Amino acid sequence: MKKYCVPYILLFSAYFIACGEGTIVIDDAVYEPKIVIEGYLSPFKPVRNIRLMRNFPINTTFDRSEIILDQARASITAEANGREYQLVFNPESGTYEYPGDDLYILPEQSYTLRVSATIDGRELSAWSTTTVPASGFNINMSKSKLGSLPYHARNSEGELEFFQLAFQRSPGTDFYVLAAKALDASETTFIFTNTFFAPDSEFVEENLDNLTLNVTWLQGLRPLPFNTPTIFNVGWYMFFFYGRYELTLYAGDQNYKDFFLTYKQVQEIDGNFHEPVFHIQGDGIGVFGSVIARKVLVEVTP
């Protein structure tokens, strides 16, 4: 089981020219302006927090406010009936949303995001379609092991104990991401005796935000009999602090899965580089996917 920090869109894109040793050759000629998309839909929830941004050439000085495309034209089309819903920019969040209450995101339905914007004097457009995971994904609270546990707890036989999530899968979905967010993270609650790495207090102070959130995933799960929950032991590598944690389990669509698994794996064994899998058509990069999220609380004690 691997863990990474929460995925973020790369705001700088370039095409890489490599041969064997992984040498990157970048010059002004390879830069192409792109619409950068980061957005997710969830069933029965409003369409919000659709981030539309742009890339910049390498070695360019720019203001952070220039990253956000606040004048883009964006819409979501429900493929089931072909109706188009116009998104509006929310200056407070810096993201796009649908302000009405007549757009219903439903399980197993497909939705297409279309975006157009002017970047560096060029009219660009990008689009992507996501299919929402099916209903049925849930955490079985009675069969899960939650509550509180001492860090690295062991039972009477000396075996490690873990928090356990027992969950029903979304039919047709084989990719699940677990995020563990420390709600009481601080230098004083950091577990300096943890068994995975031993940073000093200065490192913890400088990297507190990154240490607060850990992510892991499940994929390629074997089939189970009908109505049988999947049992997932949450490894202790997910916990760097004493205190309360919010565990969020996501069932993700194909777009989310492919981006998550490739956004950091852009160099092949022979050294050549390639782009992550975006599922964005036209002049765009990034991710437009759909997820179902389920949350529980646990507590790690000394």
Side-chain angles (χ1 to χ4, degrees):
M1 204 66 69
K2 299 179 182 178
K3 65 188 181 73
Y4 294 98
C5 294
V6 172
Y8 291 98
I9 294 296
L10 296 176
L11 299 179
F12 305 92
S13 71
Y15 289 95
F16 302 112
I17 303 173
C19 184
E21 4 170 276
T23 302
I24 305 176
V25 180
I26 302 175
D27 57 37
D28 292 339
V30 300
Y31 165 72
E32 291 186 16
K34 295 286 186 179
I35 298 171
V36 182
I37 297 170
E38 182 186 17
Y40 304 96
L41 303 182
S42 292
F44 312 114
K45 292 187 177 181
V47 176
R48 293 176 181 163
N49 299 320
I50 305 295
R51 299 183 183 277
L52 302 179
M53 301 164 285
R54 60 159 296 176
N55 63 341
F56 286 88
I58 297 296
N59 299 322
T60 298
T61 300
F62 59 90
D63 189 279
R64 289 178 62 89
S65 62
E66 297 177 310
I67 295 173
I68 298 174
L69 297 175
D70 56 1
Q71 299 294 322
R73 285 82 64 193
S75 67
I76 286 182
T77 300
E79 296 298 331
N81 57 21
R83 183 174 174 184
E84 187 175 20
Y85 302 84
Q86 299 298 320
L87 305 184
V88 299
F89 181 73
N90 183 334
E92 292 186 4
S93 64
T95 62
Y96 285 76
E97 60 188 38
Y98 181 67
D101 57 6
D102 56 338
L103 173 54
Y104 304 102
I105 304 302
L106 300 175
E108 299 184 87
Q109 297 297 308
S110 297
Y111 300 87
T112 299
L113 172 69
R114 291 183 172 83
V115 182
S116 59
T118 303
I119 300 178
D120 295 342
R122 293 176 54 179
E123 286 294 326
L124 305 181
S125 62
W127 61 96
S128 180
T129 300
T130 180
T131 300
V132 182
S135 298
F137 171 59
N138 258 312
I139 294 177
N140 187 321
M141 301 297 287
S142 64
K143 294 184 178 181
S144 297
K145 185 175 181 179
L146 304 173
S148 65
L149 277 177
Y151 178 72
H152 244 235
R154 293 183 181 273
N155 60 23
S156 58
E157 298 178 352
E159 300 171 331
L160 275 176
E161 293 187 345
F162 302 95
F163 295 110
Q164 283 186 341
L165 294 178
F167 66 94
Q168 299 294 147
R169 301 179 198 171
S170 170
T173 299
D174 69 346
F175 184 68
Y176 299 86
V177 171
L178 177 67
K181 181 180 181 181
L183 302 180
D184 302 314
S186 70
E187 290 178 69
T188 58
T189 61
F190 187 81
I191 305 172
F192 284 98
T193 58
N194 77 79
T195 57
F196 299 97
F197 78 115
D200 56 27
S201 57
E202 182 179 354
F203 179 90
V204 173
E205 180 182 6
E206 293 176 352
N207 297 274
L208 188 62
D209 288 343
N210 290 332
L211 294 170
T212 297
L213 189 67
N214 270 333
V215 178
T216 189
W217 69 91
L218 296 171
Q219 64 174 331
L221 301 175
R222 63 181 179 84
L224 292 175
F226 176 73
N227 213 30
T228 301
T230 297
I231 306 299
F232 176 34
N233 288 335
V234 184
W236 286 109
Y237 57 80
M238 297 289 285
F239 305 99
F240 290 153
F241 300 88
Y242 296 119
R244 298 167 302 144
Y245 280 81
E246 181 180 75
L247 301 183
T248 306
L249 188 62
Y250 299 90
D253 77 327
Q254 193 68 38
N255 293 7
Y256 179 73
K257 173 184 178 180
D258 288 343
F259 177 76
F260 187 97
L261 294 178
T262 63
Y263 82 100
K264 277 196 172 184
Q265 307 297 325
V266 296
Q267 187 174 15
E268 298 174 5
I269 296 176
D270 63 2
N272 288 306
F273 289 87
H274 57 83
E275 288 185 335
V277 178
F278 289 136
H279 291 288
I280 305 285
Q281 306 299 312
D283 309 306
I285 57 175
V287 58
F288 176 63
S290 50
V291 298
I292 302 176
R294 298 288 183 259
K295 297 183 180 182
V296 296
L297 291 176
V298 297
E299 183 178 20
V300 177
T301 62

